Amino acid sequence: VGFVRRYASNTEVLRRFIDAGDLGEIYYAKASCLRRLGNPGGWFSDKERSGGGPIIDLGVHIIDVCWYLMGKPKVKSVSGNTYRKLGNRSNVQNLSFYKAADYDAERNDVEDMANALIRFENGASLFVDVSFTLHARKDELTVKLYGDKGGAELEPELAIMTESHNTIVNIAPQVDHLGFDFQQAFSQEIATFINSCLGTAETLSPVQDGVEITKLLSAIYESAGQGKEIHFG
């Protein structure tokens, strides 16, 4: 399963701090991936082929990296909302955005924007919001985690917050890539896949995790469609 953000160097660095107990018990995470104008169109906006919009395209990555760093706790319940208010805004001029090869402004039956509150059996919670298009001032990508000993930001830049000698301290890791580095992360994912096939490495993203995240994404859409919280058995 291609959870590429698990293989990013900033995720790997933060994971070391978490595994060493520097953040303590992580009880809350918050992640946003908001595009003000970024519906790729084509198969991305065709629910029959894509399965959904920004939640399944963008949200999957930020939900997974939070869940992964939180220790992959069991999901207790999901409450989600989806909105189709703006369409693909093909009328907008003078501002370019990525378009799929099969872009068709007439075809768009996925959500523009979605949010969700995910509760876990250990008492922790995760809030996420995503959009293909939104009346926002600028695009936004943030991933934040909060523990009882410290906090951390993974995006837009890696940072760690804690206390030392009764003083709040912000730690700025000195690393090559503070944010998500596309080439490094995908290269590492591919290398790990090859090595796992050769039996010299263990994957960071087993198929069981893919099943759990797919169930979680489905629950967000189910909750939004039914207008109620979905409880996991």
Side-chain angles (χ1 to χ4, degrees):
V1 180
F3 289 132
V4 67
R5 285 190 175 270
R6 296 190 183 192
Y7 296 88
S9 57
N10 62 341
T11 304
E12 182 184 359
V13 171
L14 180 53
R15 180 67 188 266
R16 290 183 204 152
F17 280 81
I18 291 172
D19 287 349
D22 290 359
L23 269 61
E25 177 191 351
I26 299 174
Y27 56 88
Y28 179 51
K30 181 180 179 182
S32 296
C33 187
L34 302 176
R35 293 178 183 170
R36 57 179 176 163
L37 182 69
N39 184 330
W43 71 268
F44 284 91
S45 59
D46 182 352
K47 190 175 180 180
E48 209 170 281
R49 289 184 287 168
S50 66
I55 270 289
I56 206 167
D57 178 36
L58 308 175
V60 59
H61 292 290
I62 57 175
I63 289 171
D64 176 70
V65 77
C66 286
W67 183 64
Y68 171 71
L69 290 170
M70 295 171 85
K72 300 191 288 189
K74 284 191 174 183
V75 178
K76 180 180 179 181
S77 65
V78 173
S79 182
N81 301 280
T82 60
Y83 301 93
R84 287 181 62 199
K85 300 289 187 181
L86 305 180
N88 58 21
R89 300 176 77 190
S90 58
N91 61 296
V92 173
Q93 301 175 15
N94 307 313
L95 191 63
S96 59
F97 61 95
Y98 168 75
K99 296 180 181 179
D102 60 339
Y103 182 84
D104 178 2
E106 298 300 314
R107 181 63 170 168
N108 184 69
D109 60 356
V110 298
E111 75 274 11
D112 302 332
M113 186 267 177
N115 60 46
L117 176 63
I118 302 159
R119 291 185 172 91
F120 301 102
E121 287 187 0
N122 65 357
S125 59
L126 164 62
F127 179 78
V128 59
D129 58 354
V130 295
S131 69
F132 270 167
T133 185
L134 189 69
H135 286 306
R137 189 173 69 86
K138 61 181 180 179
D139 292 352
E140 180 181 332
L141 174 59
T142 59
V143 175
K144 304 176 182 180
L145 299 101
Y146 303 95
D148 58 4
K149 290 184 179 178
E153 294 184 2
L154 186 67
E155 300 291 345
E157 288 189 345
L158 179 60
I160 297 165
M161 293 66 71
T162 186
E163 290 181 21
S164 182
H165 306 295
N166 299 320
T167 302
I168 292 176
V169 177
N170 293 341
I171 301 171
Q174 302 302 293
V175 296
D176 286 335
H177 306 295
L178 283 170
F180 178 72
D181 183 82
F182 187 94
Q183 185 172 341
Q184 177 276 326
F186 277 101
S187 294
Q188 184 61 30
E189 179 188 358
I190 293 166
T192 303
F193 172 73
I194 293 169
N195 290 332
S196 67
C197 290
L198 294 173
T200 59
E202 270 192 45
T203 179
L204 295 179
S205 48
V207 68
Q208 294 91 341
D209 289 5
V211 171
E212 289 303 309
I213 291 294
T214 301
K215 284 163 61 178
L216 202 158
L217 296 173
S218 297
I220 294 173
Y221 284 123
E222 187 178 350
S223 173
Q226 296 184 13
K228 64 180 184 180
E229 191 171 40
I230 302 301
H231 294 269
F232 281 52

